[in-house]
Amino acid sequence: MANLLYLVHRLPYPPNKGDKVRSYHLLKHLVARHRVWLGTFVDDPDDEVYVDTLRALCGGLHVARLRPAAARVRSLRALASGDALTVHYYRDGGLARWVRRTLAEQHIDAAVVFSSSMAQYVENVRGLRVLVDFVDVDSAKWEQYADNHSWPLSWLYRREGQKLLECERRVAARAERSFFVTEDEAAMFGQLAPECASQVEPMCNGVDGDYFSPDPGRGSPFDDAELPLVFTGAMDYWPNVDAVCWFAREVLPVLRQRHPRVRFHIVGRAPAQAVQALAGDAVHVTGTVPDVRPYLQHAAVVVAPLRLARGIQNKVLEAMAMARPVVASMSCAQPVRATLGHELLAAADASEYVRHIGELLSDPSLANMLGAAGRRCVLSRYSWPVHLGGIDRHLETAGAAA
């Protein structure tokens, strides 16, 4: 058993959005084997009620309060310093002091860092073993944003991509080991940072198949007369916003001409103004829901039409675990180790979404077979303990002297 410092950019509970799903399961994995001191941020007031839940799991806990609007302004200081905006966004004096005090007072054997922006708190600590879970190559994400926006945002996003890559390379060079969510992400980073390629490996996402499982007693949130299409995700996240707006504009009208009972349900917290504007007879925007499972279980089809996506999307794994048919963009479907056409459907353009969804709506038995095959796929290939076990061999000797 080792004493670990675990640094996460967002409170890893509840596991209700992509990064929090992974950071929570990693925390759960670590505390089952080690003593963990957790340093993190709260950026959503609704999450305050969960602080004590995490406190009970950890040997020590520090939660820094982050106000997104103020943090965005603060991050602009990076334009003068030459740093990545993301690093300044997550810079906090109180958390830095807590990290220094914890390192001084506790016998910390190793630090596990979730996302490159949190490595700043241990970057200059000599002799400390550091493992970094980058998850995705975030610098590449900002480059994608730049390609899809006009100036001046294109300039700002491209700068962020370049500066964040400098940060990622520096962090990975300092780390004993770095992890990415897929083999493709790890290979991409190895090409972008060849000096670090030998210290990088994939550590895949998983899904809790017991929690995300169909329940005959779970009621439906939908009207009996409709054919519900469902998208789930944090709706203040730009790739999600872009996905649902594109789908509502390019796919939904054609589908409703052929299947008038179709209704698109956008399920997730903090819907942006552009998402709220979609609400109407054809589109239902839920906002925060207490449990996403009823929406997934009773969906006719779950869609994931992200045009900008990195790594494995938890929303896809969760929907497949719920035994519902999923139609996803190529960028979402390809990282999933599923048989396309049998366990998961992929669409390259609006016409393919219309064709795939139309076939599933017209043939419920086909939809059920695809959903059942998808659930078998994720149960057999996406176990959290198996995938997260990849970090264990790098921690086996960390607490040997403790």
Side-chain angles (χ1 to χ4, degrees), residues 212-379:
F212 287 99
S213 62
D215 179 355
R218 186 178 290 128
S220 172
F222 306 121
D223 189 297
D224 290 340
E226 66 182 75
L227 292 172
L229 307 182
V230 171
F231 176 93
T232 62
M235 294 318 305
D236 56 351
Y237 181 51
W238 185 77
N240 288 345
V241 174
D242 173 76
V244 299
C245 290
W246 177 85
F247 187 86
R249 182 180 67 249
E250 302 294 335
V251 180
L252 190 60
V254 181
L255 272 175
R256 280 175 58 87
Q257 288 177 2
R258 305 175 187 182
H259 302 273
R261 294 193 295 129
V262 161
R263 195 173 191 210
F264 184 32
H265 294 261
I266 301 170
V267 182
R269 60 178 292 278
Q273 187 172 4
V275 177
Q276 295 179 41
L278 298 174
D281 291 341
V283 179
H284 177 214
V285 179
T286 69
T288 300
V289 297
D291 189 346
V292 74
R293 290 173 298 175
Y295 292 88
L296 292 174
Q297 177 172 326
H298 295 284
V301 181
V302 178
V303 296
L306 278 79
R307 299 192 291 175
L308 294 173
R310 304 218 60 81
I312 290 181
Q313 298 294 312
N314 289 302
K315 59 171 62 68
V316 172
L317 298 183
E318 292 166 358
M320 292 172 70
M322 293 295 297
R324 296 317 301 145
V326 180
V327 182
S329 65
M330 287 293 182
S331 59
C332 285
Q334 287 176 341
V336 179
R337 291 185 296 155
T339 303
L340 298 184
H342 175 62
E343 298 165 333
L344 175 66
L345 296 178
D349 54 32
S351 64
E352 287 197 349
Y353 278 101
V354 171
R355 177 168 61 84
H356 286 320
I357 296 171
E359 290 172 350
L360 293 169
L361 294 178
S362 299
D363 188 349
S365 63
L366 174 64
N368 290 334
M369 285 191 294
L370 184 76
R375 176 166 170 81
R376 289 193 296 271
C377 169
V378 297
L379 291 183

Side-chain angles (χ1 to χ4, degrees), residues 41 65-78 85 88-92:
F41 286 91
R65 272 67 187 179
L66 188 150
R67 293 166 42 217
R72 282 192 290 270
V73 173
R74 184 175 64 249
S75 70
L76 294 176
R77 298 173 186 170
L85 275 68
H88 279 254
Y89 187 91
Y90 289 107
R91 182 163 293 171
D92 180 81

